């Protein structure tokens, strides 16, 4: 189901936005602020340091996302974008009911601009914080790792408004578990 959300986002960006303007946008220098929705799917395995070595678990999360980037134009058709994204999400699956997740990405993206659209690939440092439900005596858990992803987007002719669909794949490590995750974001920015 996660992959279908990604392709719906990609289809929306690809099919609905081409007629939004007549002139072509070019890669431009500048800051971008964005907000939208994020969704993650995780599968993990408890390692030898845990009470349940080898046991597998799964969880999903979804919620709101915010981000900032700075685009550095490399001519009219290419750009480099350092970015920072964060999301707060509600968790479902094998974790305790009421658990929330915070996801963060500090990354660098390379974009190709064929007109008003861009296609990007990126690598980054990923983080996750799992917070137990209120009233729980358990502490929050945090993990870090690395990963990569791609994005597809559209920017208005004047360069003020943009839409971006992003997909990521990354691995993070907790003290007693290793987790593989995929994430998707759909954001509108200025």
């Amino acid at each position: 189901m996660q992959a279908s959300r990604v392709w719906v986002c990609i289809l929306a960006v690809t099919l609905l936005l081409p007629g939004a303007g007549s002139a072509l946008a070019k890669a431009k220098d500048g800051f971008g602020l964005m907000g939208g929705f994020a969704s993650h799917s995780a599968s993990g395995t408890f390692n030898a340091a845990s009470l349940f070595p080898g046991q597998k678990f799964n969880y999903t999360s979804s919620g709101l996302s915010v981000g900032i980037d700075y685009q550095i134009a490399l001519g009219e058709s290419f750009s480099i974008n350092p970015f920072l994204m964060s999301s707060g999400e509600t968790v479902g699956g094998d974790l305790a009911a009421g658990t929330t997740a915070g996801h963060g990405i500090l990354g660098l993206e390379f974009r190709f601009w064929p007109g008003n659209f861009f296609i990007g690939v990126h690598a980054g440092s990923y983080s996750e914080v799992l917070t137990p439900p209120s009233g729980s005596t358990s502490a929050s858990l945090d993990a870090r790792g690395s990963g990569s992803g791609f994005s597809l987007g559209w920017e208005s002719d004047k360069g003020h408004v943009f839409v971006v669909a992003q997909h990521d794949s990354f691995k993070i490590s907790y003290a007693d578990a290793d987790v593989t995750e995929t994430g998707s974001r759909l954001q509108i920015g200025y």
Side-chain angles (χ1 to χ4, degrees):
M1 182 151 171
Q2 185 72 18
S4 64
R5 290 182 191 165
V6 172
W7 291 111
V8 167
C9 293
I10 292 170
L11 185 62
V13 169
T14 306
L15 296 178
L16 298 178
L17 297 175
S22 56
L24 297 179
K26 300 174 185 173
K28 300 174 192 74
D29 291 342
F31 280 101
L33 299 172
M34 61 202 90
F37 300 98
S39 177
H40 288 82
S41 178
S43 61
T45 305
F46 287 106
N47 60 35
S50 78
L51 297 175
F52 311 101
Q55 184 174 338
K56 297 188 179 306
F57 58 91
N58 296 292
Y59 57 94
T60 60
S61 61
S62 61
L64 298 178
S65 176
V66 295
I68 186 170
D69 73 355
Y70 186 81
Q71 180 162 274
I72 302 163
L74 304 174
E76 293 184 358
S77 299
F78 296 96
S79 65
I80 293 177
N81 295 67
F83 66 91
L84 176 64
M85 301 218 177
S86 181
S87 61
E89 304 172 31
T90 303
V91 176
D94 293 338
L95 302 181
T99 299
T100 58
H103 289 100
I105 310 169
L106 176 60
L108 184 65
E109 181 164 90
F110 179 77
R111 291 179 179 171
F112 168 63
W113 289 81
N116 288 55
F117 292 91
F118 63 83
I119 302 163
V121 294
H122 57 265
S125 174
Y126 293 75
S127 65
E128 177 178 74
V129 176
L130 296 174
T131 304
S134 62
S136 172
T137 58
S138 300
S140 294
L141 302 172
D142 63 281
R144 299 203 179 336
S146 61
S148 60
F150 67 90
S151 66
L152 297 173
W154 168 88
E155 185 173 293
S156 70
D157 302 336
K158 295 178 182 165
H160 297 302
V161 177
F162 63 93
V163 177
V164 61
Q166 178 178 323
H167 185 72
D168 297 282
S169 179
F170 56 98
K171 292 185 179 185
I172 56 175
S173 294
Y174 286 95
D176 61 352
D178 298 311
V179 180
T180 301
E181 294 198 42
T182 58
S184 300
R185 294 173 193 266
L186 179 61
Q187 300 192 112
I188 297 174
Y190 181 82

